[in-house]
């Protein structure tokens, strides 16, 4: 009889307390039932868009630079210098503008 009791005791499982998942602890938030999100309307832009005239001017400037390079009017070194100048402008323009805004 003692052997049978011991065998049955081994078959029962101990109750393991479940830990809450990371999601339920950090991400789950109650959703208010009486509030609807506003999804219509136009979002404000971070900055003004480039005008058509400014885009045309930049395009003409780049086209002229390419044409001067291909025709030999400027040296390869001068072309690379101007391209580097434009690439630096593209890289730093956003952060420079942000610094001006935050002043």
């Amino acid at each position: 009889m003692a052997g049978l009791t011991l065998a049955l005791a081994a078959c029962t499982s101990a109750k393991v307390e479940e830990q809450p998942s990371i999601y339920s602890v950090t991400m789950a938030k109650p959703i208010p039932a009486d509030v609807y999100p506003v999804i219509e309307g136009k979002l404000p832009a971070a900055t003004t868009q480039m005008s058509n005239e400014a885009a045309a001017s930049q395009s003409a400037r780049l086209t002229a630079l390419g044409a001067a390079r291909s025709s030999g009017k400027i040296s390869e070194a001068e072309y690379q210098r101007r391209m580097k100048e434009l690439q630096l402008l593209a890289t730093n323009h956003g952060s420079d503008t942000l610094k001006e805004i935050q002043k």
Side-chain angles (χ1 to χ4, degrees):
M1 186 67 146
L4 181 61
T5 305
L6 186 56
L8 288 176
C11 290
T12 61
S13 61
K15 185 175 181 180
V16 177
E17 291 183 32
E18 286 189 30
Q19 295 293 323
S21 72
I22 300 259
Y23 173 79
S24 64
V25 172
T26 60
M27 303 297 281
K29 297 177 184 171
I31 299 171
D34 60 343
V35 178
Y36 293 98
V38 176
I39 58 173
E40 71 276 350
K42 188 174 181 181
L43 294 175
T47 186
T48 59
Q49 244 185 345
M50 178 187 280
S51 68
N52 290 338
E53 293 80 21
S57 170
Q58 283 289 67
S59 179
R61 183 176 172 194
L62 293 172
T63 302
L65 179 60
R69 177 186 184 202
S70 62
S71 70
K73 288 183 181 178
I74 61 170
S75 67
E76 183 65 24
E78 177 63 14
Y79 173 81
Q80 292 299 328
R81 185 193 68 75
R82 289 184 187 180
M83 283 301 295
K84 186 175 181 179
E85 179 184 318
L86 292 172
Q87 289 168 343
L88 284 173
L89 176 65
T91 302
N92 299 326
H93 177 70
S95 60
D96 292 345
T97 303
L98 184 59
K99 288 176 188 173
E100 284 183 35
I101 292 170
Q102 292 176 340
K103 286 183 183 180

